[in-house]
Amino acid sequence: QVDLVESGGGSVQTGGSLTLSCVSSQLITCMAWFRQTPGKEREGVASDPPAGDPWYADSVKGRFTVSRDVAKNTLYLQMNALQPEDTGIYYCAARRSAWCVGGECCMKGGEAVFPSWGQGTQVTVSS
């Protein structure tokens, strides 16, 4: 089990930007961001694999960027051009998968394969 602590949520207007951070207690291979938006099931947003390119949900491609500072065991999610439909609770998740190449690999199996989760951070985008 890995401890994950998110921060950086807040309230912005449409078109604004926020950067979320997730500090991990250990260096871990696959890390990802999920979100729970009102009236919908929790969904994957982006993932950062141990090798290869990250993965993004279609709804955030071109607007969100996931990155990782390995030295700080920290995962980031830079969110630009935020829209009201981005409102929700954002969760950081982690799983061990050293063989994964590409973020899509990390996401295979969905949230069920991620044993470690943060407490979530609220993002609110107003119109």
Side-chain angles (χ1 to χ4, degrees):
Q1 194 78 5
V2 176
D3 294 326
L4 303 171
V5 179
E6 303 104 331
S7 62
S11 297
V12 297
Q13 292 188 326
T14 297
S17 298
L18 283 172
T19 299
L20 306 183
S21 299
C22 171
V23 180
S24 171
S25 60
Q26 303 175 28
L27 181 65
I28 194 160
T29 48
C30 281
M31 295 186 75
W33 291 99
F34 288 77
R35 69 183 179 187
Q36 178 89 58
T37 55
K40 294 184 179 180
E41 295 185 354
R42 190 158 57 183
E43 62 177 351
V45 175
S47 66
D48 185 68
D53 295 328
W55 169 87
Y56 297 95
D58 288 343
S59 58
V60 306
K61 279 180 183 175
R63 300 188 298 123
F64 291 11
T65 302
V66 64
S67 62
R68 192 184 329 198
D69 186 330
V70 175
K72 296 182 179 180
N73 284 348
T74 301
L75 183 74
Y76 302 98
L77 185 67
Q78 173 68 45
M79 305 185 293
N80 298 326
L82 283 162
Q83 303 295 314
E85 51 265 36
D86 295 315
T87 293
I89 302 174
Y90 284 69
Y91 298 89
C92 177
R95 60 177 291 207
R96 299 187 188 281
S97 188
W99 51 269
C100 257
V101 177
E104 191 169 359
C105 173
C106 285
M107 299 302 291
K108 192 168 290 186
E111 63 175 271
V113 300
F114 285 86
S116 301
W117 292 82
Q119 80 287 355
T121 186
Q122 177 71 45
V123 171
T124 303
V125 185
S126 58
S127 56

